[in-house]
Amino acid sequence: MGSVLASWRRGPELPAHARRDRQGRSLPAPPGSAAGGGELPAAPIMAGRNPGTKLELGWISKVHVNRPAVVRHAEQIKKWRTVKGNWQAAWLLKAVTCIDLTTLSGDDTPSNVHRLCFKAKHPIREDLLKALDMHDKGITVAAVCVYPARVIDAVNALMAAGCDIPVASVAAGFPSGQTPLETKLAEIRLAVQYGAREIDIVISRSLVLAGQWEGSDFIKTSTGKEVENATFPVGVVMMRAIREYYWQTGNKVGFKPAGGIRTAKDAITWLMLVKDELGVEWLKPELFRLGASSLLEDIEKQIFYHVTGTYPLLHDLATV
């Protein structure tokens, strides 16, 4: 569990017009359609951070989770409607704009961070975007996420590429959070000093277990380094907590599933779940992120198949 500071990035949106499937649920119009107008309007800039609210332990103590019901609902999620054709491509491109493209390996080097940043700016091959008439929409990932020691490498690489993609950095004792507060604060300050515009803060989970609660701009399923990471049951519970907090305070908190999200199908399912639980206003990088390192590869493969009718060979797509 952790939090991510708010970003101020502008990015493409799916068309506001929506159609409905057989179950009556709304679906986006495909890119370039008359309904969508062929345009993906820029996402609004984040108005401000969550100012927090007075801690009410009574409110928290009344929260009860019906685990069997949540698990059943999560199983139903996996059987939800399937989007095809241009609609599927639209959802996949939306997923791309919400990805925190991440490398958190002990052997990270400046060169592999530079490659990651190039992929962040060019997540989908240009000719594939042209085939979808999306080549001029400025589609990039939401952020590049690295360790504090690699922030300067990422900032320099993105500046050299002439793009404004924010750099996010894990800090505060990632992934365990079991470091002294003074050390956590020093690490956060250094990451910001190096140029990080977002901080993925790992809280001490002992605080949660001990009932010492506080507010955040984003909440995240896990560090991505656990045995079990982003699961749909956990996602449902967290999103409903976000929704109730919004009802109580009027403040929107973002959501980030992280770890184990590797397929385009899973990405679309997460997007649809967010849309159904929180609404379309959450489907933008300012309020929703997908923490992933290998997800983008599968999304690009599926878009390649959509455009060409065949799956790519190993040399057809750039790897990070």
Side-chain angles (χ1 to χ4, degrees):
M1 183 180 293
S3 67
V4 179
L5 296 185
S7 67
W8 297 269
R9 175 182 174 274
R10 294 180 68 86
E13 283 283 304
L14 280 176
H17 175 84
R19 297 181 180 179
R20 296 186 178 275
D21 67 1
R22 291 182 217 175
Q23 286 74 40
R25 297 187 176 100
S26 58
L27 292 170
S33 70
E39 292 293 330
L40 295 185
I45 294 177
M46 176 71 95
R49 293 181 54 190
N50 173 21
T53 187
K54 183 180 178 181
L55 181 61
E56 296 182 17
L57 293 177
W59 177 19
I60 295 173
S61 65
K62 293 177 183 177
V63 174
H64 297 283
V65 177
N66 185 335
R67 186 182 180 92
V70 170
V71 171
R72 284 196 303 271
H73 181 53
E75 289 300 316
Q76 292 172 353
I77 291 168
K78 298 175 184 178
K79 301 174 183 177
W80 273 2
R81 73 271 189 190
T82 301
V83 289
K84 297 292 185 182
N86 283 342
W87 289 6
Q88 182 187 53
W91 279 102
L92 291 178
L93 291 178
K94 165 52 79 175
V96 168
T97 68
C98 293
I99 290 177
D100 281 349
L101 195 59
T102 304
T103 181
L104 296 172
S105 299
D107 57 357
D108 282 338
T109 63
S111 60
N112 82 288
V113 170
H114 288 178
R115 290 195 301 272
L116 189 80
C117 291
F118 179 84
K119 191 63 176 176
K121 185 182 179 183
H122 306 281
I124 306 295
R125 253 175 45 175
E126 186 74 7
D127 59 324
L128 300 178
L129 291 176
K130 284 183 178 179
L132 296 171
D133 195 25
M134 298 296 292
H135 58 287
D136 58 348
K137 301 301 186 291
I139 292 177
T140 69
V141 301
V144 171
C145 185
V146 295
Y147 277 116
R150 299 269 72 90
V151 167
I152 292 177
D153 298 326
V155 170
N156 289 340
L158 291 169
M159 287 180 61
C163 62
D164 193 38
I165 300 172
V167 174
S169 181
V170 293
F174 181 89
S176 69
Q178 295 291 353
T179 55
L181 178 60
E182 293 78 8
T183 304
K184 292 179 180 180
L185 293 174
E187 189 175 36
I188 292 169
R189 290 191 187 101
L190 280 174
V192 172
Q193 179 183 324
Y194 294 157
R197 286 161 54 187
E198 301 175 8
I199 302 295
D200 193 333
I201 300 169
V202 183
I203 67 171
S204 173
R205 276 153 284 187
S206 64
L207 296 177
V208 173
L209 296 174
Q212 300 179 50
W213 304 96
E214 60 185 30
S216 304
D217 297 302
F218 255 74
I219 57 174
K220 180 178 173 181
T221 55
S222 68
T223 63
K225 297 287 188 179
E226 309 295 333
V227 175
E228 184 177 63
N229 292 289
T231 66
F232 294 124
V234 167
V236 169
V237 172
M238 293 177 71
M239 279 184 261
R240 291 188 179 180
I242 288 173
R243 185 173 63 193
E244 185 165 346
Y245 183 80
Y246 175 60
W247 287 345
Q248 293 275 355
T249 68
N251 300 319
K252 294 178 180 178
V253 171
F255 174 65
K256 178 179 177 178
I261 305 173
R262 297 184 177 89
T263 68
K265 181 179 179 181
D266 282 347
I268 290 176
T269 302
W270 277 110
L271 285 168
M272 289 183 172
L273 180 58
V274 170
K275 177 180 176 294
D276 278 19
E277 292 288 343
L278 296 173
V280 293
E281 62 267 34
W282 257 265
L283 286 180
K284 55 187 178 183
E286 290 81 4
L287 289 171
F288 176 66
R289 296 290 178 87
L290 287 161
S293 55
S294 58
L295 170 62
L296 182 57
E297 181 179 350
D298 191 58
I299 288 178
E300 193 173 18
K301 284 180 181 178
Q302 299 306 319
I303 291 177
F304 186 99
Y305 179 82
H306 171 70
V307 171
T308 67
T310 61
Y311 282 105
L313 301 175
L314 287 176
H315 61 269
D316 285 326
L317 301 178
T319 57
V320 177

